[in-house]
Amino acid sequence: MAIAAESLAAKLPAHFMLGVATAAFQIEGAVAEDGRGPSGWDAFTHLPGRIVDGTDADIACDHYHRMPEDVELIHALGADSYRFSLSWPRIQPDGRGPVNRKGVDFYDRLLDRLLERGISPMCTIYHWDTPLPLEQEGGWLNRETAYRLAEFAALAADAFGDRVDRWVTINEPATVTLNGYALGLHAPGVPHLFDSLPAAHHLLLGHGLSVEALRTASVRGEVGITNVYSPVVPATEGFGNELMVQLYDILFNGMFADPVLLGSYPRFNPLLTPFLAYFHTVPEEDIALMHQPLDFYGLNYYFPSRIAPGPGPLTGPHAKPEGVPEQFVQDVQDMPFHLTGWPGYERTGFGWPVAPQYLGVALTEMARRYPGMPPVYITEGGASFTDVVVEDALTGEPEVADVKRTEYLADHINAALEATAPGGPAEAIDLRGYYVWTLMDNFEWAAGYSQRFGLVYVDFATQRRIPKASYKWLQQLASHRDRARARL
Ligand code: PNW
């Protein structure tokens, strides 16, 4: 049973933001309309065998045409804030050079509508849709892309800086590096394993340069980054496993958070040098650029990781989607560690363990590793489960009783509040909000439409939107909170 909305509402600190999040490529569709250029993800989805269900994002949720209706859903939900991303190839089709006015117009209309409805905009500048010309020049393996991103950030600041409350420079550079460049399960789709570390470095450089661009433009909003975080635990006892835990923790967490928050790459056991020697070769000035003062830090949490030494079957978050050519499996078999299952834990549609207590662990580890860090927003959290649409016996209206998703959200918000409450193990963290991933079912990257994360069900054949029980639960949470606020 999920904690009741009313009792959870009573725990929410004043000014805590309840939000919903999306990303442009996953919802917009209209990929060849009004001057939008192709992205690396458009190209990747059209390669044979890369998307589990053989789909693409050409139409997705058709949000480009249905934006007003979708903003009404956010408004009726009672959300305080909406996190969305800018489509870089819609605004700057070649990744350099002039802006596409019609692309800018779309986000102008979105921002105006959000503000009219009293919804605070959080804008992600880069959520993975690199313009194809830049991807063809090496994408994030090419240092040049960092400078191109900063130029795009300057364009965004100029166009939208008067209306955006919070800017996220980059979403999850870890997933871009690991799923994209290391494993090839995401765009651009060629596995480089440990030779992908320059992609991480250039993403972080792109973050730092983008922060500079936003500051130079004197945007009125706050500035931050979003990193995913997964507490890492060993599957077995012994030094070999501890070493692999350290390696995975660096690859997934430390190499993205440390330069941003501490101004250095993680220190590591010299036995890991064969994998991480790249960090000894990077210019000091780059790391200083990555280490910009931030107004907030965005944290995405989905699941903890259990690591065993040696190559192994592809389980866990990096499991090979069905249909991916065998050559990629071979490459991953060369890895010195693998992710193991979580016996005894409920799992989501992706096979990710449902472990709300580990969100508390994540926040506790962050508090210890990064003393004095800026205020934190959990910029994503959510789960995919199989959803079944049934007709209500009385009204005939379609309904989705997504009990597990509702519990997931309630338990995770509760765990985050408890960990960061006074006296809690992560009390040093100033937690300011939680954004549910995601507003509506959408194009779930390599999983296509096979994984539904939405608060709103989307029937992709008709584009009908059906609010699920989790939507109604969040609506209650927001309204109980509002009533409690009004009494003060
Ligand atoms: C995040 N992993 O991606 C993204 O920010 C969203 O766009 C995405 O839809 C959502 O989470 C759900 O997948 C992740 O393998 C993808 O560890 C992969 C991982 C983590 C997050």
Side-chain angles (χ1 to χ4, degrees), residues 31 42 59 105-106 133 177-178 181 193 205 207 209 211 215-216 271 286 376 384 406 422 444:
V31 291
D42 290 283
I59 299 174
D105 288 348
F106 173 72
T177 305
L178 302 176
Y181 292 87
L193 299 185
L205 188 62
H207 157 74
L209 294 167
V211 174
R215 303 283 189 213
T216 303
L271 290 168
D286 285 5
V376 170
S384 64
T406 306
E444 180 45 46

Side-chain angles (χ1 to χ4, degrees), residues 321-393:
E322 248 171 77
V324 169
E326 281 307 306
Q327 75 192 84
F328 299 108
V329 186
Q330 275 320 111
D331 281 319
V332 180
Q333 295 292 352
D334 294 339
M335 299 294 271
F337 56 76
H338 65 281
L339 287 135
T340 67
W342 287 79
Y345 280 75
E346 163 120 58
R347 311 223 254 137
T348 72
F350 256 139
W352 297 351
V354 176
Q357 67 277 31
Y358 275 95
L359 173 52
V361 173
L363 290 160
T364 305
E365 289 183 2
M366 300 278 309
R368 193 187 68 234
R369 292 178 179 187
Y370 310 112
M373 73 183 294
V376 170
Y377 290 86
I378 296 175
T379 40
E380 283 179 33
S384 64
F385 289 109
T386 308
D387 290 317
V388 184
V389 184
V390 293
E391 270 183 20
D392 182 87

Side-chain angles (χ1 to χ4, degrees), residues 26 127-128 171-172 175 179 186 228 252 300 302-303 317-318 350 352 380 437 444-445 453:
Q26 295 178 270
H127 199 129
W128 309 356
N171 178 70
E172 293 192 0
T175 308
N179 279 4
H186 280 184
V228 62
F252 200 94
N300 290 357
Y302 286 95
F303 52 80
H318 304 303
F350 256 139
W352 297 351
E380 283 179 33
W437 185 268
E444 180 45 46
W445 307 110
F453 275 86

